[in-house]
Amino acid sequence: MKIKQFPNTVVSTWSPKSNYPINIAMGTAAQQLDASFNTSSTLELYSLQSNDLILNALISTDCRFHKLVWGGTNASEEWGSGIIAGGCDNGIIRLYDASKLARNVDSIVAKSDRHVGSVRALNFNLFQTNLFASGASESEIFIWDLHSMSTPMTPGSKSESLEDVIDLAWNNEVQHILGSLFHKYTVVWDLRKNEPIIKLSDNNSKVKWKAMSWNPKVATQVCIASEDDQNPVIQLWDLRYASSPVKHFVGHQKGILSMSWCSEDTDLLISCGKDNRILIWNPSSETEENSLVCELEHNYQWNFEVNWCPRDPLFIATSSFDGQTTLYSLSDLQNSKDQKINENVNTGQFQWSNSLSNAPNWLKRKCGASFAFGGNLVSFDGSLKTIQLNKTVIEPDLLLWSEYLQQILNNGNYEGFCHHKSELTLDDDIQLVWKFLKTMFQNNPKEAQLELLGYSNKTLTKEEFHSNILNTQEENIVTKFENFTLKSSVTNDLQDLLYQSLLVGNLSTAADIFFDNGKPVEALLLAITAGPKTLSRIQNKYLKNSKEPTTALLHAIITNDWSDLVENCDLNCWKEIMTALLTHTNGTNFISSFEKLGNRLAANDNLSLSKYAQLCYICSGNVEALVENIKDIKTIEKLQESVEMAMLLHRSMSSSESHLEVGKKFGELLVNYSETLVSQGDLEGALSFLEFTNKDQGVELKSQVYKALGKNQTIENTINNSQKLLKSNTHDFRKYSTTSATGTITPEPPFPTYPNSYIQDNDVNNLHQNQKPHLSNYPPPIQSQPTYNLNNQQQSVYNNFPPTGTQQYGNNFINQTNMQTKAVPPTPTPDASSRCMTPSSIKPGKPKYVIDPSVKGNNMYGSYNNNGLGMLSPMGQQSGFNSSIGQPHVLNQPLGQQNIFKPSMVQPNCLSQPLGQTNNSIEPLIQQQIQPNIYNPTYNQPKGPVPNLNPQPTFQPIQNNYSQVISPSPNLNQSSSIYNQRAPSVEPFQSLYAPLPSNYIKKSTPAGWNDPPMLSTSAPIQKPPTPVSSTPITHPLYTNNPPPIEEIGTYIPLRNNDEQFSTNNITQGVEALPKQTIPQEHIRIQVILNEIQSRLLEAVPTAPTRKRVMDIAGKVELLYDSIRENSLSSYLIQCLHTMIDLVLKRDYNGAFNIHTQLVSGPEFSKISTFMPSLKTLFQMAYQYNINLEGL
Amino acid sequence: MKMVPMNDFILNEHEGEVHDAELDYYGQRLATCSSDKTIKIYNIQNGTKTLLADIKGHLGPVWQICWSHPVSGHLLASCSYDKRVVVWKESNDWFNIFEFTHESSVNSVAWAPHQHGIILASASSDGSIGIHVFNKEWSSVTINAHSNGCNSIAWAPFKEQLFGSNQPEFGKKLALASGGCDKLIKIWTIQSDQWVQIGEINCHTDWIRAIDWTCTIGDNRQLIASCSEDKTVVVSHSDDYAKWNSTQMQIFDSRVWTVSWSKIGNVLAVSTERNKVSLWKENRNGQWMICSKINDNKEDN
């Protein structure tokens, strides 16, 4: 694209690369005349602005120019923006100061006429910017130093042949290499040796060299161009193979006059010549044929000069003999249409694409790295064509702390946590905050807080003071005055009046008189007797008049109105006010007073005061205000601390009044926190904190995290989530279990279930899609069975049933799946609570970790987990059923519903129990495969073991109940049994049926699993793996029937069953495993200690070590046992964790300190067996410098 | 602090130089673009790297790609040397649903925060920024931004809650930063339907190669990081988008190609020649310190 054209015949030079803005200098070209025969000459300076050239300066010069070059830019020289050197006729060189020229003042710096002939070759050294080379006739080359222009240096000895120096070019990479071009050959000089090092000449072709240009990046490559019309070639030479040119670039049709190699992209070389063309070449192209890239211009005049702008490679300046100087921009040389290069070659005339097919180098991003969600960092290397994915963890400490916090939230050791934090912090104020938070979990927070404020009751009440009070109490007042009169000795109206009032009992007036006469003590004494009205009046009077500093406090205490004091006191005595408030106020007054004080402190400009507002908010339990007060969360550490504080305060409030909504500010803090966790790649952790926030907060982040966690967000995921919910709820449940022993309270799920919209979007659909094929397969074979039609007829009784049973099935299933996914999060709550409570009532003191040792990890969750798969289905199933038969109220009591289910299943579950167990241990996929096998026995013994196998009889009572309400159910049941028998006889049906059972199994599973009577009454029956089978098929039919009816009455007994169940389960567990597993959150202790031992053995495999390690192992086993038995206090276990953390950080001293603390602590008796060995272990690890990485 | 290259995760399937690689919103799909004129999309969930699509359609090297927020339908924008900005939409295959032709190579594309709607910005070597808005139909305006070429653009992040700030609306402003060959970073915003320049950062001595704009989590500082041919990275901070205070991070040993903020804005990834990536974090004294390197030496983790 032509940017600008000037009607001048000039030689030009761009300002050097280091100059900005870009300038171009143009001097009138020598030996050119315009039509007016004007012989004046000028030097003009233009600046390039927004794709336009603006004339900056113009001076007239005393001669015209063959060559202009601009160089020497060096901020430390007086010619800051460089020197423009001009080569003229008669050996004249003129040097102009570019900055002076720009100011239009006399800018000539130096003149020289040492050369002979026209100075056509000039070039500045790029490295030593004060050096430039010049060449003219008689093979004369001078190297000039701008500092001393008087004596130029001449390289080499004077050449014998006297030829014109056509061009000169300093090497772009090696500063002492200079190329000189003569008509027939090229000489390369090494100026360090001051001699020519190589001579390039091509004797095979007829050439007349005109221009030379070094490769901007490769030191050994140089291009030379010929102006011979017969052989207008550009040759690429490599000095390492100097015998012949490496490449010939053929494309010009007449002699080449100028050439310029782009400094920013070595793949671009531009040339112009007598064929009126300006061509762009790619000297690195693989073949010589492809070397011609683009024709920039084909005009009507010879172009004798072309210059690539060194600063901005988009610009090219050309000069032509028709008096045009043109500025081109390469910016539009793109191939926006799908052109083929050389498309028109066959039209006779050569015609090339006028676009650059390869993008110029300067546009290409060579490499890059960008952060993505979840702490991922994608980086790419352009030239290697590789893309690499990296994980970044910038804040590993944050992850540790967040995990720790989660542990605490799970295990409820809040007090220990606060203690730990207060020990860790170096900041006294933060320590105070932690200590205050700690008190919130203690039995008597107020007392502890008072103590923290330094006003403990004990310290304040001095003993002497006490005894004084005791002693003086009983003295007889009258004895003091042995001889007294009740008349005034002196005539005194006032005295009389007083006696009078006193004697007649007008105490109130007397009190006033006393007070008015400066005897407040007497006044008050009287007022006490006179009654509350008088008392308060006198008190007020006294307080109003008193000038004592204690008055305000007195007033507040007497009137119990603290607002005045709180609002007006000097904030510097916040401690005192807090103490008073703690001592004297209660209930709402307590809270509001602390709020007020907190707000006042918070509003204070003095930062040292405003932070104490946090203490007030802790006392008042205001999480929101606390979060609001923690300003300037600038560091990750601060963020972590803020979350910890807010979380714990929230917990302290939640535990006392069931659930406390997470406020807006707190929610925002949690969202920020989660976002930070996400950025460290801890999605799971982030999610667990996001769960606390309200539904409408961080919605985007939530859905992002859920989606990114990906997997199949179906049931599995929901279980995980609900497990998380469960985890986060444990504390509350624990509370419940202690407060309400009966366990009849069903705590509300305190945490909002995650909005399921995202699940519905994709996963429920998937779920449906997955199941639909089965469903649609299911009905046809059933329809083919006459018995089933019976069922259909009956269904008319169910008002809500659609006309055909098959459809109903389909709907039912869809409902179920829907219900499964939706109902899951709330469901675990009641169950969890019951689980939680029952063991505690059995074995007080070991509430949590006893239930089901067969499940790895934390037993409580584990047991739920087992339950999980099963639980979901019956819940959903029943709900689904209920909704379809129009008893939606049942939905509200899923717990009862489920329990009701158990007694009804008493007998059949003996059979289904083993099945349930297998199902629990077998993955659903396998279940599908196994299903036919399970199925087979059913029709092998279709009706034989009916009493045991077929649930009908046991089920009957309920059926009856049910049939009282709705008659058809027996039939339904019948039909189901018939269906059971007949099903196998239909071959295709079986295969169709096979994929289905995964659903069925799930439903049958929990019924069996949860069934208490079976376990308690007939444990041995479990063992015989009786023909298990028929149950899975019949189950869905039961479940579709009766349970809702009876639920209410049997609620309590079921509790008992549940308990029995769990006791049973415990014994089972003991049978199964000799030892319980260590709870999940402490298993780390075991893993790490064991690993340290094994690494010790690895590192020092000597006999004594082995023996010592063996000893240690034995003792440490005792520690594990203690953990298993849960006999260690949570504080102790926390200390163990901390010790291990310290050891892993190689802070052995820290670990030993804790060790000393523990050993000298009150619990030594519990830990004396293993603690010494623990220390020995750590000492050995320290001694042998065991590598603990990766633990 | 660590950056762990997942050694088993290296893609090398483009025939030409790779110019950009971006993960989608969920970090599940990776889009890459190359001088081979194609865009490739991979599924990288769970360590897989399945090629999902190989989008052809550009006539020149594809410089940059950008995923839209899922709210806007997971659109993919690309820009190319062929002067075009293209928006691709997936429905079985990927379809070109919008294109705009600049007068020169388009070097950068970026979607505005989705809260503002479906808005795409493009930066071209012709010196202009294109703003393409979809509101029932596409409409485009161009701003003349940088005299000799615009290399990079970045939108101001959208912040709903400015936690602890007294300017709740501040984070919701539609604003854009552009960096160009004129060494300047310019800040643009829309005022009565006109894009106007409201700020300028003059802190580099050579072409600006890339900029990235973040709002830090927690203290909500507005930060623009910029890198340049002059081998420097500069972080500029502003309270009003108009006045910017710049801190130069370090002089690197080569030109700096990209800068990218972590999603919470506290860490900057800097990529220099030959894909040396380093991570930088500000210390308490406001100095930027290196915290991790890759592709350099294995020992300095």
Side-chain angles (χ1 to χ4, degrees), chain A residues 331 334 362 365 371 387 391 393 395 704 707, chain B residues 1-2 4 11 25 28 64 81 104 209 260 281:
Chain A
S331 68
Q334 286 87 14
W362 59 85
R365 273 213 277 176
F371 271 110
I387 297 134
K391 290 270 178 203
V393 178
E395 310 287 350
Q704 194 177 10
K707 183 79 193 296
Chain B
M1 301 177 202
K2 56 184 178 183
V4 188
L11 282 169
Y25 181 74
Q28 294 176 335
Q64 213 177 56
Y81 180 64
S104 183
R209 278 297 177 183
S260 172
K281 201 180 166 205

PDB file of all heavy atoms in Angstrom, chain A residues 331 334 362 365 371 387 391 393 395 704 707, chain B residues 1-2 4 11 25 28 64 81 104 209 260 281:
ATOM      1  N   SER A 331       1.399  -3.336   5.433  1.00  0.00           N
ATOM      2  CA  SER A 331       0.367  -3.824   6.349  1.00  0.00           C
ATOM      3  C   SER A 331      -0.810  -4.489   5.637  1.00  0.00           C
ATOM      4  O   SER A 331      -1.529  -5.258   6.242  1.00  0.00           O
ATOM      5  CB  SER A 331      -0.133  -2.674   7.212  1.00  0.00           C
ATOM      6  OG  SER A 331      -0.826  -1.759   6.410  1.00  0.00           O
ATOM      7  N   GLN A 334      -1.891  -8.913   2.855  1.00  0.00           N
ATOM      8  CA  GLN A 334      -2.382 -10.227   3.260  1.00  0.00           C
ATOM      9  C   GLN A 334      -3.214 -10.856   2.178  1.00  0.00           C
ATOM     10  O   GLN A 334      -3.810 -10.195   1.351  1.00  0.00           O
ATOM     11  CB  GLN A 334      -3.209 -10.131   4.541  1.00  0.00           C
ATOM     12  CG  GLN A 334      -2.390  -9.919   5.758  1.00  0.00           C
ATOM     13  CD  GLN A 334      -2.137  -8.463   5.972  1.00  0.00           C
ATOM     14  OE1 GLN A 334      -2.781  -7.618   5.365  1.00  0.00           O
ATOM     15  NE2 GLN A 334      -1.172  -8.159   6.803  1.00  0.00           N
ATOM     16  N   TRP A 362       7.541 -10.542  12.346  1.00  0.00           N
ATOM     17  CA  TRP A 362       7.274  -9.689  13.505  1.00  0.00           C
ATOM     18  C   TRP A 362       5.847  -9.783  13.988  1.00  0.00           C
ATOM     19  O   TRP A 362       5.524  -9.329  15.068  1.00  0.00           O
ATOM     20  CB  TRP A 362       7.647  -8.234  13.195  1.00  0.00           C
ATOM     21  CG  TRP A 362       6.928  -7.636  12.026  1.00  0.00           C
ATOM     22  CD1 TRP A 362       5.704  -7.048  12.069  1.00  0.00           C
ATOM     23  CD2 TRP A 362       7.379  -7.555  10.687  1.00  0.00           C
ATOM     24  NE1 TRP A 362       5.358  -6.611  10.818  1.00  0.00           N
ATOM     25  CE2 TRP A 362       6.381  -6.910   9.946  1.00  0.00           C
ATOM     26  CE3 TRP A 362       8.548  -7.976  10.019  1.00  0.00           C
ATOM     27  CZ2 TRP A 362       6.493  -6.667   8.578  1.00  0.00           C
ATOM     28  CZ3 TRP A 362       8.652  -7.737   8.673  1.00  0.00           C
ATOM     29  CH2 TRP A 362       7.649  -7.092   7.949  1.00  0.00           C
ATOM     30  N   ARG A 365       3.631 -14.553  17.132  1.00  0.00           N
ATOM     31  CA  ARG A 365       3.948 -14.802  18.532  1.00  0.00           C
ATOM     32  C   ARG A 365       4.789 -16.055  18.602  1.00  0.00           C
ATOM     33  O   ARG A 365       4.370 -17.113  18.141  1.00  0.00           O
ATOM     34  CB  ARG A 365       2.660 -14.998  19.338  1.00  0.00           C
ATOM     35  CG  ARG A 365       2.099 -13.697  19.818  1.00  0.00           C
ATOM     36  CD  ARG A 365       1.423 -13.894  21.135  1.00  0.00           C
ATOM     37  NE  ARG A 365       0.062 -14.387  20.937  1.00  0.00           N
ATOM     38  CZ  ARG A 365      -0.727 -14.722  21.940  1.00  0.00           C
ATOM     39  NH1 ARG A 365      -0.313 -14.641  23.161  1.00  0.00           N
ATOM     40  NH2 ARG A 365      -1.948 -15.146  21.688  1.00  0.00           N
ATOM     41  N   PHE A 371      -2.833 -18.392  31.840  1.00  0.00           N
ATOM     42  CA  PHE A 371      -3.483 -19.070  32.951  1.00  0.00           C
ATOM     43  C   PHE A 371      -4.890 -19.469  32.561  1.00  0.00           C
ATOM     44  O   PHE A 371      -5.575 -18.758  31.824  1.00  0.00           O
ATOM     45  CB  PHE A 371      -3.567 -18.133  34.154  1.00  0.00           C
ATOM     46  CG  PHE A 371      -2.364 -18.199  35.044  1.00  0.00           C
ATOM     47  CD1 PHE A 371      -1.476 -17.154  35.108  1.00  0.00           C
ATOM     48  CD2 PHE A 371      -2.140 -19.321  35.815  1.00  0.00           C
ATOM     49  CE1 PHE A 371      -0.372 -17.205  35.938  1.00  0.00           C
ATOM     50  CE2 PHE A 371      -1.047 -19.383  36.648  1.00  0.00           C
ATOM     51  CZ  PHE A 371      -0.156 -18.327  36.710  1.00  0.00           C
ATOM     52  N   ILE A 387       2.567 -27.633  22.600  1.00  0.00           N
ATOM     53  CA  ILE A 387       1.706 -27.025  23.608  1.00  0.00           C
ATOM     54  C   ILE A 387       1.848 -27.865  24.866  1.00  0.00           C
ATOM     55  O   ILE A 387       1.811 -29.094  24.811  1.00  0.00           O
ATOM     56  CB  ILE A 387       0.248 -27.016  23.152  1.00  0.00           C
ATOM     57  CG1 ILE A 387       0.102 -26.165  21.898  1.00  0.00           C
ATOM     58  CG2 ILE A 387      -0.659 -26.485  24.245  1.00  0.00           C
ATOM     59  CD1 ILE A 387      -0.706 -26.796  20.838  1.00  0.00           C
ATOM     60  N   LYS A 391       0.547 -27.452  35.758  1.00  0.00           N
ATOM     61  CA  LYS A 391      -0.237 -27.183  36.964  1.00  0.00           C
ATOM     62  C   LYS A 391       0.564 -26.211  37.812  1.00  0.00           C
ATOM     63  O   LYS A 391       1.755 -26.386  37.981  1.00  0.00           O
ATOM     64  CB  LYS A 391      -0.452 -28.468  37.772  1.00  0.00           C
ATOM     65  CG  LYS A 391      -1.378 -29.446  37.105  1.00  0.00           C
ATOM     66  CD  LYS A 391      -2.800 -29.180  37.544  1.00  0.00           C
ATOM     67  CE  LYS A 391      -3.744 -30.142  36.839  1.00  0.00           C
ATOM     68  NZ  LYS A 391      -5.102 -29.635  36.779  1.00  0.00           N
ATOM     69  N   VAL A 393       0.843 -24.372  41.535  1.00  0.00           N
ATOM     70  CA  VAL A 393       0.387 -24.184  42.919  1.00  0.00           C
ATOM     71  C   VAL A 393       1.255 -23.088  43.497  1.00  0.00           C
ATOM     72  O   VAL A 393       2.438 -23.282  43.744  1.00  0.00           O
ATOM     73  CB  VAL A 393       0.524 -25.474  43.742  1.00  0.00           C
ATOM     74  CG1 VAL A 393       0.078 -25.215  45.162  1.00  0.00           C
ATOM     75  CG2 VAL A 393      -0.297 -26.568  43.120  1.00  0.00           C
ATOM     76  N   GLU A 395       0.383 -21.206  46.177  1.00  0.00           N
ATOM     77  CA  GLU A 395       0.227 -21.077  47.625  1.00  0.00           C
ATOM     78  C   GLU A 395       0.047 -22.450  48.260  1.00  0.00           C
ATOM     79  O   GLU A 395      -1.035 -22.793  48.709  1.00  0.00           O
ATOM     80  CB  GLU A 395      -1.009 -20.217  47.952  1.00  0.00           C
ATOM     81  CG  GLU A 395      -1.072 -18.915  47.200  1.00  0.00           C
ATOM     82  CD  GLU A 395      -0.065 -17.913  47.713  1.00  0.00           C
ATOM     83  OE1 GLU A 395       0.537 -18.171  48.775  1.00  0.00           O
ATOM     84  OE2 GLU A 395       0.122 -16.887  47.054  1.00  0.00           O
ATOM     85  N   GLN A 704     -19.129 -23.641  37.601  1.00  0.00           N
ATOM     86  CA  GLN A 704     -17.851 -23.865  36.933  1.00  0.00           C
ATOM     87  C   GLN A 704     -17.088 -25.007  37.589  1.00  0.00           C
ATOM     88  O   GLN A 704     -16.577 -25.899  36.917  1.00  0.00           O
ATOM     89  CB  GLN A 704     -17.034 -22.572  37.000  1.00  0.00           C
ATOM     90  CG  GLN A 704     -15.842 -22.556  36.075  1.00  0.00           C
ATOM     91  CD  GLN A 704     -15.103 -21.231  36.122  1.00  0.00           C
ATOM     92  OE1 GLN A 704     -15.360 -20.397  36.973  1.00  0.00           O
ATOM     93  NE2 GLN A 704     -14.197 -21.023  35.205  1.00  0.00           N
ATOM     94  N   LYS A 707     -18.833 -28.373  36.978  1.00  0.00           N
ATOM     95  CA  LYS A 707     -18.630 -28.847  35.619  1.00  0.00           C
ATOM     96  C   LYS A 707     -17.185 -29.296  35.432  1.00  0.00           C
ATOM     97  O   LYS A 707     -16.917 -30.311  34.795  1.00  0.00           O
ATOM     98  CB  LYS A 707     -18.979 -27.723  34.643  1.00  0.00           C
ATOM     99  CG  LYS A 707     -18.877 -28.089  33.182  1.00  0.00           C
ATOM    100  CD  LYS A 707     -20.099 -28.873  32.746  1.00  0.00           C
ATOM    101  CE  LYS A 707     -19.919 -29.536  31.394  1.00  0.00           C
ATOM    102  NZ  LYS A 707     -19.737 -28.630  30.288  1.00  0.00           N
TER     103      LYS A 707
ATOM    104  N   MET B   1       5.765 -22.827  46.378  1.00  0.00           N
ATOM    105  CA  MET B   1       5.295 -22.323  45.084  1.00  0.00           C
ATOM    106  C   MET B   1       5.898 -23.169  43.987  1.00  0.00           C
ATOM    107  O   MET B   1       7.098 -23.317  43.915  1.00  0.00           O
ATOM    108  CB  MET B   1       5.749 -20.886  44.895  1.00  0.00           C
ATOM    109  CG  MET B   1       5.236 -19.981  45.982  1.00  0.00           C
ATOM    110  SD  MET B   1       5.881 -18.339  45.762  1.00  0.00           S
ATOM    111  CE  MET B   1       5.709 -17.720  47.417  1.00  0.00           C
ATOM    112  N   LYS B   2       5.043 -23.692  43.201  1.00  0.00           N
ATOM    113  CA  LYS B   2       5.611 -24.552  42.172  1.00  0.00           C
ATOM    114  C   LYS B   2       4.759 -24.539  40.919  1.00  0.00           C
ATOM    115  O   LYS B   2       3.573 -24.241  40.971  1.00  0.00           O
ATOM    116  CB  LYS B   2       5.771 -25.983  42.690  1.00  0.00           C
ATOM    117  CG  LYS B   2       4.465 -26.551  43.194  1.00  0.00           C
ATOM    118  CD  LYS B   2       4.625 -27.923  43.806  1.00  0.00           C
ATOM    119  CE  LYS B   2       3.284 -28.395  44.333  1.00  0.00           C
ATOM    120  NZ  LYS B   2       3.282 -29.641  45.010  1.00  0.00           N
ATOM    121  N   VAL B   4       4.305 -27.177  37.843  1.00  0.00           N
ATOM    122  CA  VAL B   4       4.679 -28.530  37.457  1.00  0.00           C
ATOM    123  C   VAL B   4       4.257 -28.775  36.021  1.00  0.00           C
ATOM    124  O   VAL B   4       3.068 -28.843  35.731  1.00  0.00           O
ATOM    125  CB  VAL B   4       3.983 -29.569  38.360  1.00  0.00           C
ATOM    126  CG1 VAL B   4       4.533 -30.948  38.071  1.00  0.00           C
ATOM    127  CG2 VAL B   4       4.163 -29.206  39.813  1.00  0.00           C
ATOM    128  N   LEU B  11       1.369 -31.484  23.415  1.00  0.00           N
ATOM    129  CA  LEU B  11       0.723 -31.656  22.122  1.00  0.00           C
ATOM    130  C   LEU B  11       1.681 -31.177  21.057  1.00  0.00           C
ATOM    131  O   LEU B  11       2.344 -30.159  21.214  1.00  0.00           O
ATOM    132  CB  LEU B  11      -0.562 -30.836  22.060  1.00  0.00           C
ATOM    133  CG  LEU B  11      -1.770 -31.410  22.773  1.00  0.00           C
ATOM    134  CD1 LEU B  11      -2.852 -30.369  22.857  1.00  0.00           C
ATOM    135  CD2 LEU B  11      -2.270 -32.624  22.023  1.00  0.00           C
ATOM    136  N   TYR B  25     -13.556 -22.256  29.545  1.00  0.00           N
ATOM    137  CA  TYR B  25     -14.001 -21.809  30.862  1.00  0.00           C
ATOM    138  C   TYR B  25     -13.846 -22.876  31.939  1.00  0.00           C
ATOM    139  O   TYR B  25     -13.503 -22.596  33.075  1.00  0.00           O
ATOM    140  CB  TYR B  25     -15.464 -21.399  30.721  1.00  0.00           C
ATOM    141  CG  TYR B  25     -16.125 -20.874  31.957  1.00  0.00           C
ATOM    142  CD1 TYR B  25     -15.835 -19.606  32.430  1.00  0.00           C
ATOM    143  CD2 TYR B  25     -17.053 -21.646  32.634  1.00  0.00           C
ATOM    144  CE1 TYR B  25     -16.466 -19.109  33.547  1.00  0.00           C
ATOM    145  CE2 TYR B  25     -17.693 -21.161  33.761  1.00  0.00           C
ATOM    146  CZ  TYR B  25     -17.390 -19.894  34.215  1.00  0.00           C
ATOM    147  OH  TYR B  25     -18.009 -19.411  35.331  1.00  0.00           O
ATOM    148  N   GLN B  28     -11.602 -27.708  30.244  1.00  0.00           N
ATOM    149  CA  GLN B  28     -11.792 -29.060  29.712  1.00  0.00           C
ATOM    150  C   GLN B  28     -11.418 -29.177  28.245  1.00  0.00           C
ATOM    151  O   GLN B  28     -11.085 -30.246  27.771  1.00  0.00           O
ATOM    152  CB  GLN B  28     -13.243 -29.492  29.897  1.00  0.00           C
ATOM    153  CG  GLN B  28     -13.591 -29.647  31.361  1.00  0.00           C
ATOM    154  CD  GLN B  28     -15.034 -29.968  31.585  1.00  0.00           C
ATOM    155  OE1 GLN B  28     -15.881 -29.653  30.752  1.00  0.00           O
ATOM    156  NE2 GLN B  28     -15.346 -30.573  32.709  1.00  0.00           N
ATOM    157  N   GLN B  64      -4.503 -15.723  17.168  1.00  0.00           N
ATOM    158  CA  GLN B  64      -5.011 -15.829  18.539  1.00  0.00           C
ATOM    159  C   GLN B  64      -6.428 -16.373  18.518  1.00  0.00           C
ATOM    160  O   GLN B  64      -7.158 -16.200  17.544  1.00  0.00           O
ATOM    161  CB  GLN B  64      -4.993 -14.449  19.215  1.00  0.00           C
ATOM    162  CG  GLN B  64      -4.726 -14.527  20.695  1.00  0.00           C
ATOM    163  CD  GLN B  64      -4.648 -13.145  21.333  1.00  0.00           C
ATOM    164  OE1 GLN B  64      -5.572 -12.341  21.236  1.00  0.00           O
ATOM    165  NE2 GLN B  64      -3.538 -12.858  21.980  1.00  0.00           N
ATOM    166  N   TYR B  81      -3.885 -13.537  10.180  1.00  0.00           N
ATOM    167  CA  TYR B  81      -3.142 -12.693   9.260  1.00  0.00           C
ATOM    168  C   TYR B  81      -3.992 -12.360   8.038  1.00  0.00           C
ATOM    169  O   TYR B  81      -3.731 -11.380   7.347  1.00  0.00           O
ATOM    170  CB  TYR B  81      -1.878 -13.456   8.856  1.00  0.00           C
ATOM    171  CG  TYR B  81      -0.988 -12.747   7.898  1.00  0.00           C
ATOM    172  CD1 TYR B  81      -0.369 -11.549   8.254  1.00  0.00           C
ATOM    173  CD2 TYR B  81      -0.735 -13.268   6.627  1.00  0.00           C
ATOM    174  CE1 TYR B  81       0.461 -10.896   7.359  1.00  0.00           C
ATOM    175  CE2 TYR B  81       0.094 -12.615   5.739  1.00  0.00           C
ATOM    176  CZ  TYR B  81       0.690 -11.427   6.103  1.00  0.00           C
ATOM    177  OH  TYR B  81       1.509 -10.768   5.226  1.00  0.00           O
ATOM    178  N   SER B 104      -5.863  -4.985   7.791  1.00  0.00           N
ATOM    179  CA  SER B 104      -4.576  -5.654   7.874  1.00  0.00           C
ATOM    180  C   SER B 104      -4.708  -6.842   8.828  1.00  0.00           C
ATOM    181  O   SER B 104      -5.800  -7.126   9.328  1.00  0.00           O
ATOM    182  CB  SER B 104      -3.509  -4.669   8.359  1.00  0.00           C
ATOM    183  OG  SER B 104      -2.267  -5.311   8.379  1.00  0.00           O
ATOM    184  N   ARG B 209       3.857  -6.056  23.088  1.00  0.00           N
ATOM    185  CA  ARG B 209       3.493  -7.351  22.512  1.00  0.00           C
ATOM    186  C   ARG B 209       2.192  -7.878  23.094  1.00  0.00           C
ATOM    187  O   ARG B 209       1.367  -8.442  22.386  1.00  0.00           O
ATOM    188  CB  ARG B 209       4.617  -8.361  22.761  1.00  0.00           C
ATOM    189  CG  ARG B 209       5.741  -8.271  21.775  1.00  0.00           C
ATOM    190  CD  ARG B 209       5.248  -8.593  20.379  1.00  0.00           C
ATOM    191  NE  ARG B 209       6.319  -8.447  19.378  1.00  0.00           N
ATOM    192  CZ  ARG B 209       6.128  -8.624  18.084  1.00  0.00           C
ATOM    193  NH1 ARG B 209       4.927  -8.924  17.632  1.00  0.00           N
ATOM    194  NH2 ARG B 209       7.121  -8.487  17.245  1.00  0.00           N
ATOM    195  N   SER B 260       0.268 -13.089  31.430  1.00  0.00           N
ATOM    196  CA  SER B 260      -1.063 -13.607  31.744  1.00  0.00           C
ATOM    197  C   SER B 260      -1.241 -13.649  33.253  1.00  0.00           C
ATOM    198  O   SER B 260      -0.392 -14.168  33.980  1.00  0.00           O
ATOM    199  CB  SER B 260      -1.220 -15.020  31.151  1.00  0.00           C
ATOM    200  OG  SER B 260      -2.421 -15.597  31.590  1.00  0.00           O
ATOM    201  N   LYS B 281       5.197 -12.751  41.520  1.00  0.00           N
ATOM    202  CA  LYS B 281       4.252 -12.397  42.556  1.00  0.00           C
ATOM    203  C   LYS B 281       4.766 -11.161  43.276  1.00  0.00           C
ATOM    204  O   LYS B 281       5.968 -10.990  43.445  1.00  0.00           O
ATOM    205  CB  LYS B 281       4.143 -13.569  43.548  1.00  0.00           C
ATOM    206  CG  LYS B 281       2.881 -13.542  44.349  1.00  0.00           C
ATOM    207  CD  LYS B 281       2.832 -14.715  45.312  1.00  0.00           C
ATOM    208  CE  LYS B 281       1.744 -14.464  46.316  1.00  0.00           C
ATOM    209  NZ  LYS B 281       1.945 -15.143  47.557  1.00  0.00           N
TER     210      LYS B 281
END
